């Protein structure tokens, strides 16, 4: 039997320093709440009393078995691997806001959430509760709030949420927007070639911005981020070509990763032509980031910040609307649906495990147009492709 094998990416060292707390969110100094990176709070902020995981009582035996600090640390690391880094960063806000009240009594959490109602959106309060629940699970504390009770509180909070807490809906990208962006880029430029290839890939692969860019340049890791070696060109039995990208670590699959795809398209927004041009302008080996580009200081992975900054300048110059990164995923979804691609195929491409993506349909009646004619254009396929009625 082999025990204690090294765990991959448990700490993920960073050269970044934790940010200074806001004045109204500064916790009292305590060894239980070290000033650390936001993503590490879930693991490093400890309960006031010893963790229940450190004492194991075996039935009909005495005394209790004590778990060492090293063993406890490994338990926390293993459980912590079940959450993606982005999820941990989302959860950190709830811990900070509620920093001195853990573990949480039933009525105390409800009072906390209800006191936030009217000031925050439902999604913000939901993230607070999810972060606190994850903290309880990680440190062996009992979570006493029932799902139905929590849902009722969150629904009530949503009804009382102020308009200022609601972000405007993200405008979806379209092939026309991509073409306009292309006209304002120099595709022989090192950075521009990488950015356009990244934009078209994310659009046609229905991907998240963070899946094809890096948050911090110095923290590029081929075990976490997409590389050139993770791309594979394939052909099906009918000779139809598709390009597959393996994402080593995603929000929904932090350990196994996921695959995403696109096929060559007609017109200036073709992702295949854009990627070939990027590889021509920015040659690199298979271990490099997929959209690495030649900076004056050497090969550099494409960062989310760099892409958003360049996109904003182009949108201003081209008189385009204020486009956000998530608009690529929304736009790709809508484009395939408008082209008549079955709902279930789009759901598979976007890697949704639920019917969440169908919320994009409510404001785009043109997607449903072929299905609701007096003589439906897509009959008899409608019953196989349209989402189930809720």
């Amino acid at each position: 039997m082999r025990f204690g094998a090294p765990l991959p990416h448990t700490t993920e060292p960073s050269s970044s320093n934790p940010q200074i707390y806001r004045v109204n969110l500064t916790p009292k100094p305590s060894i239980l709440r070290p000033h650390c990176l936001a993503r590490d709070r879930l693991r490093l902020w400890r309960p006031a009393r010893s963790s229940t995981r450190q004492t194991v009582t075996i039935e009909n035996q005495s005394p209790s078995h004590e778990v060492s600090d090293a063993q406890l640390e490994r338990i926390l690391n293993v459980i912590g691997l079940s959450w993606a880094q982005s999820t941990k960063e989302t959860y950190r806000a709830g811990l900070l806001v509620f920093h001195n009240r853990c573990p949480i009594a039933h009525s105390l959490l409800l009072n906390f959430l209800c006191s936030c109602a009217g000031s925050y959106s439902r999604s913000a309060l939901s993230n607070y509760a999810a972060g606190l629940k994850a903290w309880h699970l990680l440190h062996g504390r009992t979570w006493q709030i029932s799902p139905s009770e929590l849902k009722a509180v969150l629904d009530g909070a949503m009804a009382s949420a102020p308009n200022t807490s609601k972000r405007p809906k993200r405008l979806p990208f379209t092939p026309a927007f991509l073409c306009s962006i292309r006209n304002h880029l120099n595709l022989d430029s090192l950075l521009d070639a990488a950015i356009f290839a990244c934009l078209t890939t994310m659009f046609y692969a229905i991907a998240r911005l963070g899946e094809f860019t890096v948050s911090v340049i110095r923290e590029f890791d081929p075990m976490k981020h997409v590389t050139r070696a993770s791309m594979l060109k394939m052909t099906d039995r009918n000779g139809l070509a598709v390009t597959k990208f393996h994402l080593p670590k995603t929000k929904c699959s932090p350990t196994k990763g996921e695959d995403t795809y696109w096929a060559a398209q007609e017109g200036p927004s073709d992702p295949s032509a854009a990627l070939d041009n990027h590889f021509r302008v920015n040659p690199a080996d298979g271990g490099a980031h997929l959209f690495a580009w030649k900076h004056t200081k050497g090969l550099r992975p494409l960062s989310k910040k760099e892409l958003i900054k360049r996109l904003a300048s182009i949108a201003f110059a081209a008189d385009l609307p204020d486009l956000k990164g998530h608009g690529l995923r929304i736009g790709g979804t809508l484009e395939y649906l408008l082209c008549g691609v079955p709902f279930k195929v789009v759901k598979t491409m976007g890697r949704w495990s639920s019917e969440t993506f169908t919320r994009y349909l409510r404001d785009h009646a043109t997607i449903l147009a072929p299905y609701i004619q007096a003589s439906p254009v897509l009959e008899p396929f409608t019953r196989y492709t349209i989402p189930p009625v809720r």
Side-chain angles (χ1 to χ4, degrees), residues 96-292:
L96 183 58
V97 172
F98 210 78
H99 58 81
N100 63 346
R101 302 184 183 182
C102 296
I104 302 171
H106 173 272
S107 59
L108 189 57
L109 174 61
L110 295 180
N111 179 57
F112 166 66
L113 293 176
C114 291
S115 67
C116 292
S119 300
Y120 299 92
S121 66
R122 185 189 195 281
S123 61
L125 297 188
S126 180
N127 285 334
Y128 286 178
L132 294 169
K133 183 177 181 179
W135 184 90
H136 277 67
L137 171 64
L138 185 61
H139 294 282
R141 293 300 197 258
T142 302
W143 180 255
Q144 301 178 14
I145 311 300
S146 69
S148 58
E149 194 170 33
L150 181 58
K151 181 180 183 301
V153 172
L154 293 177
D155 287 346
M158 178 175 65
S160 61
N163 291 330
T164 54
S165 72
K166 302 172 183 177
R167 293 184 298 182
K169 292 184 178 180
R170 295 174 176 86
L171 190 68
F173 277 66
T174 64
F177 282 172
L178 290 174
C179 292
S180 182
I181 290 170
R182 184 183 188 275
N183 292 336
H184 286 77
L185 291 170
N186 176 5
L187 296 188
D188 288 323
S189 163
L190 305 174
L191 178 58
D192 282 1
I195 285 178
F196 189 64
C198 185
L199 289 174
T200 54
T201 284
M202 287 189 293
F203 180 84
Y204 286 107
I206 316 181
R208 300 176 181 88
L209 183 59
E211 293 174 337
F212 281 96
T213 60
V214 298
S215 297
V216 181
I217 294 173
R218 296 186 298 274
E219 294 182 11
F220 167 67
D221 183 349
M223 298 299 291
K224 291 172 50 186
H225 302 108
V226 64
T227 64
R228 300 195 179 191
S230 65
M231 184 187 81
L232 178 64
K233 293 188 175 183
M234 308 167 66
T235 305
D236 75 355
R237 65 176 66 184
N238 298 313
L240 300 175
V242 64
T243 300
K244 180 178 78 170
F245 303 91
H246 179 66
L247 307 173
K249 195 170 186 177
T250 66
K251 180 178 181 179
C252 297
S253 184
T255 54
K256 294 183 179 180
E258 296 175 297
D259 293 333
T260 189
Y261 319 81
W262 53 240
Q265 304 291 316
E266 296 180 354
S269 67
D270 175 25
S272 181
L275 191 61
D276 287 344
N277 177 71
H278 163 58
F279 287 165
R280 175 186 66 82
V281 174
N282 294 298
D285 60 35
H289 185 264
L290 180 63
F291 297 110

Side-chain angles (χ1 to χ4, degrees), residues 298-367:
L299 202 63
R300 171 178 289 187
L302 182 61
S303 70
K304 181 178 178 179
K305 181 179 179 181
E306 195 77 54
L307 186 146
I308 291 176
K309 178 182 177 182
R310 187 73 176 102
L311 185 60
S313 67
I314 294 171
F316 179 79
D319 196 26
L320 290 173
D322 184 19
L323 300 172
K324 303 297 183 183
H326 192 59
L328 286 161
R329 184 165 165 82
I330 299 173
T333 300
L334 293 174
E335 177 63 18
Y336 283 121
L337 291 174
L338 288 168
C339 290
V341 177
F343 288 86
K344 289 186 178 179
V345 173
V346 175
K347 178 181 176 181
T348 299
M349 286 190 64
R351 294 164 283 126
W352 280 284
S353 58
S354 66
E355 301 298 329
T356 303
F357 83 104
T358 58
R359 70 176 183 268
Y360 301 148
L361 307 182
R362 290 196 288 271
D363 298 325
H364 298 271
T366 50
I367 295 170

Side-chain angles (χ1 to χ4, degrees), residues 6-34:
L7 298 174
H9 306 294
T10 54
T11 56
E12 300 195 28
S14 170
S15 57
S16 303
N17 294 317
Q19 295 182 358
I20 298 174
Y21 295 117
R22 294 182 182 179
V23 175
N24 62 332
L25 286 176
T26 302
K28 296 178 181 179
S30 171
I31 59 173
L32 300 176
R33 293 185 299 272

